[in-house]
Coordinates of all heavy atoms in Angstrom, one line a residue:
K1452 N -37.8 145.3 13.2 CA -38.7 144.9 12.1 C -39.8 144.0 12.5 O -41.0 144.1 12.1 CB -37.8 144.2 11.0 CG -36.9 145.2 10.2 CD -36.2 144.4 9.2 CE -35.2 145.3 8.4 NZ -35.9 146.3 7.5
L1453 N -39.5 143.0 13.4 CA -40.6 142.2 13.9 C -41.6 142.9 14.8 O -42.8 142.6 14.7 CB -40.0 141.0 14.7 CG -39.2 140.0 14.0 CD1 -38.7 138.9 14.9 CD2 -39.9 139.4 12.9
Q1454 N -41.2 144.0 15.4 CA -42.1 144.9 16.1 C -43.0 145.6 15.1 O -44.2 145.7 15.3 CB -41.3 145.9 17.0 CG -41.0 145.5 18.4 CD -40.6 146.7 19.2 OE1 -39.9 147.6 18.7 NE2 -40.9 146.6 20.5
E1455 N -42.4 146.1 14.1 CA -43.2 146.8 13.0 C -44.2 145.9 12.4 O -45.3 146.3 12.0 CB -42.2 147.3 12.0 CG -41.3 148.5 12.4 CD -40.2 148.7 11.4 OE1 -40.2 148.1 10.4 OE2 -39.3 149.6 11.8
M1456 N -43.9 144.6 12.4 CA -44.8 143.6 11.9 C -45.9 143.2 12.8 O -46.8 142.4 12.5 CB -44.1 142.4 11.4 CG -43.1 142.7 10.2 SD -41.9 141.3 9.9 CE -42.9 140.1 9.2
G1457 N -45.8 143.6 14.1 CA -46.8 143.4 15.1 C -46.4 143.0 16.5 O -47.2 143.1 17.4
A1458 N -45.3 142.4 16.7 CA -44.9 141.9 18.0 C -44.7 143.1 19.0 O -44.2 144.1 18.6 CB -43.6 141.1 17.9
K1459 N -45.1 142.9 20.2 CA -45.0 144.0 21.2 C -43.6 144.0 21.8 O -42.9 145.1 21.8 CB -46.0 143.9 22.2 CG -47.5 144.2 21.7 CD -48.5 144.1 22.9 CE -49.9 144.3 22.3 NZ -50.9 144.1 23.4
N1460 N -43.1 142.9 22.3 CA -41.8 142.8 22.9 C -41.1 141.6 22.2 O -41.7 140.6 21.9 CB -41.9 142.5 24.4 CG -42.7 143.6 25.1 OD1 -42.2 144.7 25.3 ND2 -43.9 143.3 25.5
V1461 N -39.8 141.9 21.9 CA -39.0 140.9 21.2 C -37.7 140.6 22.0 O -37.0 141.6 22.3 CB -38.6 141.3 19.8 CG1 -37.8 140.3 19.1 CG2 -39.8 141.7 18.9
V1462 N -37.6 139.4 22.4 CA -36.3 139.0 23.0 C -35.6 138.0 22.1 O -36.2 137.1 21.6 CB -36.6 138.3 24.4 CG1 -35.3 137.6 24.9 CG2 -37.1 139.2 25.4
V1463 N -34.3 138.3 21.8 CA -33.5 137.5 20.9 C -32.4 136.8 21.8 O -31.6 137.5 22.3 CB -32.9 138.2 19.8 CG1 -32.2 137.3 18.8 CG2 -34.0 139.0 19.0
S1464 N -32.5 135.5 21.9 CA -31.4 134.8 22.6 C -30.3 134.5 21.7 O -30.5 134.2 20.5 CB -32.0 133.5 23.2 OG -32.6 132.7 22.2
M1465 N -29.0 134.5 22.3 CA -27.9 134.3 21.4 C -26.8 133.4 22.1 O -25.6 133.6 21.9 CB -27.2 135.7 21.1 CG -28.2 136.7 20.4 SD -27.4 138.3 20.0 CE -26.3 137.7 18.7
A1466 N -27.3 132.5 22.9 CA -26.4 131.5 23.6 C -25.3 132.2 24.3 O -25.6 133.1 25.1 CB -25.9 130.5 22.5
G1467 N -24.1 131.9 24.0 CA -22.9 132.5 24.7 C -22.7 134.0 24.5 O -22.0 134.6 25.2
E1468 N -23.4 134.5 23.5 CA -23.3 136.0 23.3 C -24.3 136.8 24.1 O -24.3 138.0 24.0 CB -23.6 136.3 21.8 CG -22.4 135.9 20.9 CD -21.1 136.6 21.2 OE1 -21.2 137.8 21.3 OE2 -20.1 135.9 21.4
G1469 N -25.2 136.1 24.8 CA -26.2 136.9 25.7 C -27.5 137.0 25.0 O -28.0 136.0 24.4
A1470 N -28.1 138.1 25.1 CA -29.5 138.3 24.6 C -29.8 139.8 24.4 O -29.1 140.7 24.9 CB -30.5 137.7 25.5
V1471 N -30.8 140.0 23.6 CA -31.3 141.4 23.3 C -32.8 141.6 23.6 O -33.5 140.6 23.2 CB -30.9 141.7 21.8 CG1 -31.5 143.1 21.4 CG2 -29.5 141.7 21.6
L1472 N -33.1 142.7 24.1 CA -34.6 143.0 24.3 C -34.9 144.3 23.6 O -34.2 145.3 23.7 CB -34.9 143.2 25.8 CG -36.2 143.9 26.1 CD1 -37.4 143.0 25.7 CD2 -36.3 144.4 27.6
V1473 N -35.9 144.2 22.7 CA -36.5 145.4 22.2 C -37.9 145.5 22.7 O -38.8 144.6 22.3 CB -36.5 145.3 20.6 CG1 -37.2 146.6 20.0 CG2 -35.0 145.3 20.1
G1474 N -38.2 146.4 23.6 CA -39.4 146.4 24.3 C -40.5 147.4 23.8 O -40.2 148.3 23.1
S1475 N -41.7 147.1 24.1 CA -42.8 147.9 23.7 C -42.8 149.4 24.2 O -43.4 150.3 23.7 CB -44.2 147.3 24.0 OG -44.2 147.1 25.5
D1476 N -42.0 149.6 25.3 CA -41.9 150.9 25.9 C -40.7 151.7 25.4 O -40.4 152.7 26.0 CB -41.9 150.8 27.5 CG -40.6 150.0 27.9 OD1 -39.9 149.4 27.1 OD2 -40.4 149.8 29.2
G1477 N -40.1 151.1 24.4 CA -38.9 151.8 23.8 C -37.6 151.3 24.4 O -36.5 151.7 23.9
T1478 N -37.7 150.4 25.4 CA -36.5 149.8 25.9 C -35.7 149.0 24.9 O -36.2 148.2 24.2 CB -36.8 148.9 27.1 OG1 -37.4 149.6 28.1 CG2 -35.6 148.2 27.7
I1479 N -34.4 149.3 24.8 CA -33.5 148.4 24.1 C -32.4 148.0 25.0 O -31.6 148.9 25.6 CB -32.9 149.1 22.9 CG1 -34.0 149.5 21.8 CG2 -31.8 148.2 22.2 CD1 -33.5 150.3 20.7
S1480 N -32.3 146.7 25.3 CA -31.3 146.3 26.3 C -30.5 145.1 25.7 O -31.1 144.2 25.1 CB -32.0 145.8 27.6 OG -31.1 145.4 28.5
M1481 N -29.2 145.2 25.8 CA -28.3 144.2 25.3 C -27.4 143.7 26.4 O -26.6 144.5 27.0 CB -27.4 144.7 24.1 CG -28.3 145.1 22.9 SD -27.2 145.8 21.6 CE -27.0 147.5 22.2
L1482 N -27.5 142.5 26.8 CA -26.7 142.0 27.9 C -25.9 140.8 27.5 O -26.3 139.9 26.7 CB -27.6 141.6 29.1 CG -28.3 142.7 29.8 CD1 -29.3 142.2 30.8 CD2 -27.3 143.6 30.5
P1483 N -24.6 140.7 28.0 CA -23.8 139.5 27.7 C -24.3 138.3 28.5 O -25.1 138.5 29.5 CB -22.4 139.9 28.2 CG -22.7 140.9 29.3 CD -24.0 141.7 28.9
A1484 N -23.9 137.1 28.2 CA -24.3 135.9 28.9 C -23.6 135.9 30.3 O -22.4 136.2 30.3 CB -23.9 134.7 28.1
P1485 N -24.3 135.5 31.4 CA -23.6 135.4 32.7 C -22.5 134.3 32.5 O -22.6 133.4 31.7 CB -24.8 134.9 33.6 CG -26.0 135.4 32.9 CD -25.8 135.4 31.4
K1486 N -21.5 134.5 33.4 CA -20.4 133.5 33.4 C -20.8 132.3 34.1 O -21.4 132.3 35.2 CB -19.2 134.2 34.0 CG -18.6 135.3 33.1 CD -17.3 135.8 33.7 CE -16.7 136.6 32.7 NZ -16.2 137.7 32.6
G1487 N -20.4 131.1 33.5 CA -20.7 129.8 34.2 C -20.3 128.7 33.2 O -20.1 128.9 32.0
K1488 N -20.3 127.5 33.7 CA -19.9 126.3 32.9 C -21.2 125.7 32.3 O -22.2 125.4 33.0 CB -19.2 125.3 33.8 CG -18.8 124.0 33.1 CD -18.2 123.0 34.0 CE -17.9 121.7 33.2 NZ -17.4 120.6 34.1
L1489 N -21.2 125.6 31.0 CA -22.3 124.9 30.3 C -22.3 123.5 30.6 O -21.4 122.7 30.4 CB -22.1 125.1 28.7 CG -23.2 124.4 27.9 CD1 -24.6 125.0 28.2 CD2 -22.8 124.5 26.4
V1490 N -23.4 123.1 31.2 CA -23.6 121.6 31.6 C -24.7 121.0 30.7 O -24.5 119.9 30.2 CB -24.1 121.5 33.1 CG1 -24.4 120.1 33.4 CG2 -23.0 122.1 34.0
N1491 N -25.8 121.7 30.4 CA -26.9 121.1 29.6 C -27.6 122.3 28.9 O -28.4 123.0 29.6 CB -27.8 120.3 30.5 CG -28.9 119.7 29.8 OD1 -29.0 119.6 28.6 ND2 -29.9 119.3 30.6
G1492 N -27.5 122.4 27.6 CA -28.2 123.5 26.9 C -29.6 123.2 26.6 O -30.4 124.1 26.2
V1493 N -30.1 122.0 26.9 CA -31.5 121.6 26.5 C -32.5 122.4 27.5 O -32.3 122.3 28.7 CB -31.8 120.1 26.7 CG1 -33.2 119.7 26.5 CG2 -30.9 119.3 25.7
G1494 N -33.4 123.1 26.9 CA -34.4 123.8 27.7 C -33.9 125.2 28.2 O -34.7 125.9 28.8
A1495 N -32.7 125.7 27.8 CA -32.3 127.0 28.2 C -33.2 128.1 27.7 O -33.6 129.0 28.4 CB -30.9 127.2 27.8

């Protein structure tokens, strides 16, 4: 929907759930978060 409103590429971050890409070239990618110990979430 944000693409339809004008954005070319949309990345949605989801903390421990990973992230989603909806790309201008038709790419839809959904990836889980890499495994590791959370030390500092500021600036991620």
Side-chain angles (χ1 to χ4, degrees):
K1452 285 180 184 291
L1453 293 182
Q1454 267 193 332
E1455 292 166 5
M1456 295 166 71
K1459 292 181 180 178
N1460 300 289
V1461 182
V1462 170
V1463 182
S1464 57
M1465 302 183 69
E1468 288 299 311
V1471 173
L1472 165 69
V1473 177
S1475 58
D1476 60 357
T1478 296
I1479 296 176
S1480 184
M1481 295 178 283
L1482 291 173
K1486 291 187 169 132
K1488 180 183 176 182
L1489 176 63
V1490 175
N1491 179 19
V1493 176

